[in-house]
């Protein structure tokens, strides 16, 4: 088994923090869509747990952690309730939410990769599931909300790329037997910082070479 990044207790609480901030982003989108309380709760749950649920089903970790730990299920509901009653205040703290979301991205891409490898997947497959763990909930959120997923929109700041960099660091460390709590932490921080820089400087992936299109460019901000 790969050495854990943190003790089980600390890891559990970090997971809950990541789940909470992901749930906030889902609940906020539901409010912007003018959904009712049930829709807010559903979108919060899907955004928070979707990536980890997909990973666990793929690797055969059943029942998934989302269904074996009550805290994982309750935390998104707490976030949904907070947004339901205090969404104007939460909207004003969007920058802070984005920072925590970036931290969750960094943490989940690393833990998703290591868990997939622990269950017998190869390095490439483990990296792919690490990225899916980090971004899967957001993709499901956008699909359910009838939006083009932010993951594939050129006008959104880089999101998957920082997660990919984090997972690459992890699999290289595994390959060369150098994965420790320190190197895992480096991977988390690297993904986190890259995401913050992408938001700060609006880094975006390049589009097709010599692309010519009359499509109107959309410039709305990242959710």
């Amino acid at each position: 088994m790969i050495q854990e990044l943190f003790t089980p207790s600390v890891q559990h609480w970090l997971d809950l923090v990541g789940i909470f901030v992901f749930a906030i982003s889902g609940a906020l989108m539901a409010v912007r869509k003018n959904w009712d309380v049930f829709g807010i709760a559903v979108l919060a749950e899907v955004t928070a747990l979707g990536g980890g649920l997909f990973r666990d089903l793929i690797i055969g970790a059943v029942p998934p952690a989302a269904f074996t730990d009550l805290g994982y299920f309750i935390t998104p509901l707490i976030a949904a309730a907070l947004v339901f009653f205090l969404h104007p205040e939460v909207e004003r703290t969007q920058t802070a939410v984005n920072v925590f979301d970036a931290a969750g991205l960094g943490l989940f891409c690393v833990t998703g990769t290591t868990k997939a490898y622990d269950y017998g997947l190869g390095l490439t497959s483990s990296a792919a599931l690490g990225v899916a763990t980090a971004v899967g909930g957001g993709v499901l959120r956008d699909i359910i909300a009838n939006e083009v997923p932010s993951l594939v929109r050129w006008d959104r700041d880089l999101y998957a790329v920082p997660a990919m960099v984090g997972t690459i660091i992890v699999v290289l460390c595994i390959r060369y037997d150098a994965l420790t709590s320190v190197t895992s932490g480096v991977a988390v921080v690297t993904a986190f910082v890259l995401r913050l820089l992408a938001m700060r400087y609006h880094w975006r992936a390049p589009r097709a070479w010599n692309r010519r299109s009359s499509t109107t460019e959309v410039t709305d901000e990242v959710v």
Side-chain angles (χ1 to χ4, degrees):
M1 297 289 286
I2 292 175
Q3 181 178 355
E4 294 290 342
L5 175 56
F6 302 106
T7 65
S9 176
V10 173
Q11 179 69 58
H12 183 259
W13 281 105
L14 288 173
D15 283 348
L16 292 181
V17 170
I19 286 170
F20 182 81
V21 294
F22 284 164
I24 289 286
S25 71
L28 283 174
M29 176 172 281
V31 169
R32 292 167 187 154
K33 292 283 185 177
N34 202 29
W35 289 7
D36 62 16
V37 62
F38 181 75
I40 294 172
V42 167
L43 208 57
E45 290 279 358
V46 167
T47 307
L49 304 177
L53 182 62
F54 174 77
R55 176 205 60 214
D56 288 350
L57 291 175
I58 291 295
I59 64 179
V62 291
F67 294 95
T68 58
D69 189 319
L70 188 61
Y72 284 15
F73 186 79
I74 295 297
T75 299
L77 295 180
I78 295 173
L82 179 68
V83 170
F84 181 80
F85 289 107
L86 301 174
H87 60 88
E89 288 75 14
V90 175
E91 289 274 13
R92 285 196 290 269
T93 62
Q94 185 63 49
T95 299
V97 171
N98 286 340
V99 170
F100 281 110
D101 180 87
L105 179 82
L107 176 65
F108 285 178
C109 75
V110 172
T111 57
T113 303
T114 56
K115 185 171 183 178
Y117 188 78
D118 276 342
Y119 273 77
L121 270 65
L123 294 178
T124 302
S125 299
S126 296
L129 273 185
V131 175
T133 302
V135 307
V139 171
L140 291 174
R141 173 201 64 203
D142 293 343
I143 291 173
I144 292 174
N146 199 30
E147 296 277 344
V148 176
S150 299
L151 188 68
V152 296
R153 289 183 57 171
W154 73 268
D155 59 308
R156 297 299 177 96
D157 303 332
L158 293 178
Y159 194 76
V161 171
M164 292 171 63
V165 172
T167 62
I168 289 171
I169 293 173
V170 172
V171 296
L172 287 176
C173 288
I174 294 173
R175 172 65 179 81
Y176 294 104
D177 197 25
L179 187 67
T180 66
S181 58
V182 174
T183 55
S184 296
V186 169
V188 171
V189 172
T190 300
F192 171 63
V193 171
L194 283 176
R195 173 58 181 158
L196 291 183
L197 290 173
M199 291 190 293
R200 173 64 178 82
Y201 296 106
H202 302 297
W203 291 345
R204 292 163 183 171
R207 289 181 286 172
W209 186 255
N210 286 334
R211 173 183 176 275
R212 290 181 175 85
S213 172
S214 59
T215 303
T216 303
E217 295 186 349
V218 183
T219 57
D220 50 331
E221 295 297 325
V222 67
V223 176

